[in-house]
Amino acid sequence: MVEAVRTRRGKGRSDDGRPNDHLFDRELDHLPPEARWREWMHRVEATIFAASEPVTRETLARIVGKSCSIDLLIDDIREELRGRPYDLVAVAGGFRHLTRPAYADAIRSAVGGSERAADLTQSEVLVLMCIGYFQPITRAELSSFFGKEISRDFIGHLRGAGLIASGPRSPTPGAPYTYVTTKEFLLEFGLDTLRDLPDFEALEDAGLLSKEKLLAGDIMPDFAGVQQEARADDDE
């Protein structure tokens, strides 16, 4: 019986559940070029649609021919989705299906919004932005940057949300921990990589950030209140 099960498994799938390489036809040489490209498009779109996490290029390369350009394939899929309420978006080092921002209000009205997004205060977003731009960065450096103490509770809340993690120890006296952003941070803010963060000078030009206010500690007037609320929640 065991041998029979092993034989049946060997016909289509390996022990880890993935299709056996020698049986899965990636190249599709029997199809004309146009039909082959269309089938590759369908495979890629179906894989991204079914995945719960962004799908990397390396993963998609397993289901298409060696000569296939993943980027060109994605471009063609996105062109076909141009009139649809969702799109294929590069995020956190992979691709995933996301609804278009224009339908955010309709989705919130129907099924509610993101709890995590509602939990992030303006102060937390600003601290996350600072970590994103200047990581790895210590808590003391963050406090100096904003002119107000960044408490351990505040950092703990961001860590608990999975948006930051401990980075390498700082070479400064005492070797304090530094903090870095995570893949969850990229997912939360719809970024493919940290290179997609807005240009720092562009934020200043747009009036969204002021180095003078930042250094003077005036950029987060509600910061103290936020930290007091966080401490109160922890005490409870």
Side-chain angles (χ1 to χ4, degrees), residues 114-201:
S114 167
E115 293 182 1
R116 174 171 293 163
D119 286 341
L120 289 176
T121 66
Q122 181 182 7
S123 297
E124 288 169 333
V125 171
L126 287 169
V127 171
L128 278 172
M129 181 187 70
C130 185
I131 296 173
Y133 279 111
F134 302 109
Q135 61 187 298
I137 186 170
T138 66
R139 187 170 65 88
E141 288 171 333
L142 284 169
S143 298
S144 175
F145 201 79
F146 287 104
K148 300 177 186 291
E149 182 189 0
I150 306 294
S151 71
R152 288 185 174 86
D153 292 339
F154 192 96
I155 292 294
H157 183 255
L158 296 179
R159 289 193 64 170
L163 297 170
I164 63 172
S166 294
R169 292 272 192 167
S170 171
T172 57
Y177 281 108
T178 63
Y179 298 98
V180 296
T181 55
T182 63
K183 179 180 178 181
E184 196 63 29
F185 169 84
L186 297 176
L187 290 170
E188 180 69 29
F189 293 97
L191 304 172
D192 187 19
T193 70
L194 291 173
R195 291 189 297 272
D196 295 326
L197 282 167
D199 181 80
F200 201 82
E201 292 183 358

Side-chain angles (χ1 to χ4, degrees), residues 27-118:
E27 302 299 334
L28 302 175
D29 290 332
H30 63 286
L31 295 177
E34 196 170 313
R36 184 185 311 136
W37 189 260
R38 173 63 57 180
E39 176 60 22
W40 285 340
M41 287 175 61
H42 287 170
R43 288 180 179 184
V44 165
E45 188 172 4
T47 299
I48 295 172
F49 182 83
S52 58
E53 295 288 332
V55 183
T56 65
R57 286 176 174 80
E58 291 75 17
T59 298
L60 296 176
R62 299 173 189 162
I63 58 174
V64 298
K66 293 180 180 178
S67 64
C68 177
S69 167
I70 298 297
D71 288 328
L72 292 178
L73 208 64
I74 293 291
D75 286 344
D76 282 356
I77 295 173
R78 296 192 68 188
E79 183 62 30
E80 291 199 347
L81 295 177
R82 185 177 293 276
R84 307 297 296 168
Y86 49 86
D87 194 7
L88 282 188
V89 178
V91 61
F95 297 97
R96 73 184 312 181
H97 278 279
L98 290 178
T99 52
R100 298 185 187 276
Y103 299 95
D105 289 342
I107 294 170
R108 278 194 293 268
S109 296
V111 298
S114 167
E115 293 182 1
R116 174 171 293 163

